[in-house]
């Protein structure tokens, strides 16, 4: 068998690193930040403990790079772009996003939200990791504030500080995604309608 060339070796290294990051997100999401050890990540990835350190210097580095990688791949960015262009009411945009978010709560995307929830409740997290997760939150808030303002002007959403209402809306959504989603997957449309009553005038 011919030896692998540099490009093939680089592809193998990249695939292995992605394998570790995917396993890390799942492990952090399920166990929390403090309880996750490199050994648990290695076990989830199906590799040796030492091999993780070949790609990452520390658990904190695995955490940061995994979140960064996942956000770059996160299809939610594309979905929000599509949602902004839809010719539907603000209320319908929020309803559709809610269904999208809860429908994906069993997918890999939900690991990001669960990890962020853990980070918000864990002391001693490096500042660059907290800054990254805050920026993720700001992105969602900045996207939804104009939609909620438009909805308030149209009489669809309750009156009040739109940033505060958006914050409440996103906190509940992320909390549901971070929890066991099975409850929401049964009779989802009905439950979404009940949820929407918190922010609508109907």
């Amino acid at each position: 068998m011919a030896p692998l060339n540099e490009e093939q070796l680089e592809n193998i290294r990249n695939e292995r690193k992605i394998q570790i990051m995917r396993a890390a997100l799942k492990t952090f999401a399920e166990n929390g930040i403090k309880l996750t050890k490199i050994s648990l990540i290695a076990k989830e990835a199906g590799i040796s403990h030492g091999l993780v350190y070949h790609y990452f210097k520390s658990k904190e580095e695995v955490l940061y790079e995994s979140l960064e990688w996942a956000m770059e791949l996160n299809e939610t960015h594309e979905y929000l772009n599509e949602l902004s262009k839809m010719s539907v009411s603000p209320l319908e945009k929020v309803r559709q996003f809610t269904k999208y978010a809860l429908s994906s709560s069993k997918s890999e995307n939900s690991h990001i939200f669960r990890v962020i929830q853990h980070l918000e409740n864990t002391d001693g997290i490096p500042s660059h990791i907290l800054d990254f997760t805050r920026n993720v939150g700001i992105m969602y808030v900045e996207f939804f504030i104009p939609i909620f303002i438009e909805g308030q002007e149209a009489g669809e959403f309750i009156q009040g500080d739109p940033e505060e209402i958006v914050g409440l809306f996103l906190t509940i959504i992320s909390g549901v995604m971070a929890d066991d989603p099975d409850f929401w997957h049964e009779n989802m449309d009905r439950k979404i309608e009940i949820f929407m009553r918190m922010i609508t005038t109907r």
Side-chain angles (χ1 to χ4, degrees):
M1 180 182 291
L4 299 174
N5 61 39
E6 185 57 36
E7 182 180 354
Q8 291 171 318
L9 289 171
E10 184 64 23
N11 286 338
I12 290 172
R13 284 192 288 268
N14 287 338
E15 288 173 6
R16 183 54 55 84
K17 189 171 184 178
I18 288 171
Q19 178 185 353
I20 294 169
M21 291 189 293
R22 181 173 283 117
L25 279 177
K26 185 174 186 291
T27 307
F28 281 120
E30 292 179 351
N31 298 279
I33 310 303
K34 293 292 187 183
L35 294 180
T36 293
K37 309 295 183 188
I38 291 292
S39 58
L40 289 176
I41 295 171
K43 183 178 180 180
E44 179 64 33
I47 61 175
S48 68
H49 182 280
L51 190 56
V52 177
Y53 285 109
H54 181 73
Y55 292 88
F56 301 96
K57 295 176 183 177
S58 65
K59 183 176 83 169
E60 287 72 23
E61 187 175 285
V62 180
L63 173 61
Y64 180 75
E65 290 199 28
S66 299
L67 283 170
E68 194 173 43
W69 166 77
M71 284 305 301
E72 286 177 3
L73 291 181
N74 190 358
E75 62 191 28
T76 302
H77 287 281
E78 184 177 342
Y79 179 79
L80 291 179
N81 187 46
E82 293 174 0
L83 189 64
S84 68
K85 297 174 183 176
M86 289 182 184
S87 299
V88 296
S89 69
L91 175 60
E92 187 57 29
K93 286 181 180 180
V94 173
R95 181 185 285 112
Q96 289 194 28
F97 172 79
T98 302
K99 187 166 185 176
Y100 165 82
L102 298 182
S103 296
S104 65
S105 61
K106 281 191 171 182
S107 73
E108 199 169 88
N109 287 340
S110 71
H111 294 332
I112 302 170
F113 290 92
R114 295 178 70 186
V115 172
I116 289 174
Q117 287 276 320
H118 287 309
L119 286 169
E120 290 175 351
N121 296 294
T122 304
D123 296 326
I125 300 297
S127 60
H128 68 285
I129 297 178
L130 292 178
D131 289 342
F132 178 80
T133 57
R134 287 192 193 102
N135 288 335
V136 172
I138 290 170
M139 176 198 74
Y140 283 99
V141 169
E142 290 181 346
F143 175 83
F144 276 106
I145 282 179
I147 294 175
F148 273 71
I149 290 174
E150 184 183 351
Q152 287 177 325
E153 291 172 350
E156 293 183 334
F157 293 133
I158 58 174
Q159 295 301 310
D161 181 354
E163 185 172 350
E164 183 179 51
I165 298 170
V166 168
L168 173 65
F169 167 71
L170 293 174
T171 297
I172 294 172
I173 289 289
S174 61
V176 171
M177 293 184 73
D179 198 8
D180 181 0
D182 288 337
F183 169 79
W184 286 89
H185 282 241
E186 297 177 10
N187 302 314
M188 181 180 288
D189 288 337
R190 178 177 173 276
K191 288 170 182 170
I192 288 175
E193 288 306 313
I194 295 172
F195 168 63
M196 294 294 290
R197 291 176 193 169
M198 295 179 60
I199 56 173
T200 62
T201 56
R202 299 178 184 178

